Amino acid sequence: MKASILLLFLLLLPADFSALADDSPAEGPHLQISSVYGNLEVGRPTSIFVVLQNNASIPKEPDEPGFSKETARSIVALLQSSDDRIKIISGRQNAGLLAAGENATVQFMAQAEGTTQGIYPLQLCLNYSRLSQVTASGGERAPNFVFTYEKASIELPLQAKVVLGPKIELEELKGETFPGTESSLQLFLVNRGDEPALDLQMLGRPSPPFLMVENGKEQASLAPGEGASLSLSVFTDENATSGYYALPCLISYRNGQDKERRNQELAVLIYVGEPPPSLWLYLGAAGLILLLLAGGLWGLRRLMSGRRRLRIIKS
């Protein structure tokens, strides 16, 4: 349908029609940055999203996007940083065709190293092509049209925010374990970063002398400065000696801008107490006490019997 309308439009043009190339911004694409979202985390590759917008005026009688002077074609975006501490990991990104009034989002990966929290300048370089001229030749009944496109480029400044990101720390551990027993522990975790940690989970992994670990099913979402209590149970080797041992735990969460979960290793120091006295020791002690009591009663009876015989003899 649109192709038919375009063909009708071209047939109605005079035979000597020649669309003049106009380099003025008024008739070309007006590419600009509509918004930027996603923060760069120190020491971690993170995504930054740039929303491009073609702010050119929409024609009253729009043609096919590929035949409109306001359309930017074959857009290629490249993010650059003049600060050596911010490394742009991803290369050129294709944004395709952008007609007047339309938006497109390009995603880049970058990593901030050795920087502090703050705002840092970046540059977005855009290369694209635009329709510059339409030339008609031939007769009115069989016109021949030639579309001429030219390459263009533009550099747009933008700003990126560098943050610490979520930082999960163990603030308090309640409970201890003993050799040969299963013990329940409560871990209070706190987000010391400046970004939220969503759907946080903890997974403890067996490591000597902790032979088995049963993880709780709690999930928590921690804003910066917030904490939550998570539980786990550990079974300790009966031959373990008293002291502190590290239990490796995996903390996983989402940071709010990524769909994929992130992982953080955390070593939890757990105290293994002195082994409790065995049941046989309790039984042995109880038997000894009973034996002593029995001996005492037997001695008391002998003493009483001796006194009775002494009285009989005297009488």
Side-chain angles (χ1 to χ4, degrees), residues 2 5-6 8-9 12-13 57-65 67-70:
K2 291 184 177 180
I5 295 176
L6 175 62
L8 178 61
F9 168 75
L12 292 177
L13 291 175
S57 300
I58 301 176
K60 294 181 180 180
E61 298 181 359
D63 300 323
E64 287 282 347
F67 304 110
S68 172
K69 277 192 172 185
E70 289 75 18

Side-chain angles (χ1 to χ4, degrees), residues 79-146:
L79 188 63
Q80 295 179 331
S81 172
S82 57
D83 193 324
D84 293 337
R85 296 173 297 176
I86 298 181
K87 306 294 184 182
I88 309 300
I89 301 174
S90 55
R92 301 176 185 274
Q93 304 295 311
N94 294 319
L97 182 146
L98 203 57
E102 293 184 352
N103 297 329
T105 301
V106 286
Q107 178 182 359
F108 298 94
M109 291 290 294
Q111 182 169 335
E113 290 287 356
T115 61
T116 57
Q117 297 166 267
I119 306 297
Y120 292 82
L122 300 174
Q123 299 82 38
L124 184 68
C125 299
L126 300 176
N127 293 312
Y128 61 95
S129 63
R130 48 166 288 190
L131 178 64
S132 63
Q133 182 172 296
V134 178
T135 304
S137 62
E140 294 183 4
R141 295 183 178 181
N144 182 33
F145 295 93
V146 177

Side-chain angles (χ1 to χ4, degrees), residues 137-157:
S137 62
E140 294 183 4
R141 295 183 178 181
N144 182 33
F145 295 93
V146 177
F147 296 87
T148 303
Y149 296 90
E150 66 178 3
K151 294 182 178 180
S153 62
I154 186 174
E155 184 173 301
L156 302 174

Side-chain angles (χ1 to χ4, degrees), residues 185 201-204 213-219 230-233:
L185 306 173
Q201 293 178 317
M202 180 179 63
L203 178 64
V213 178
E214 183 177 350
N215 297 278
K217 298 181 180 180
E218 302 97 337
Q219 247 188 14
L230 285 80
S231 64
L232 56 82
S233 297

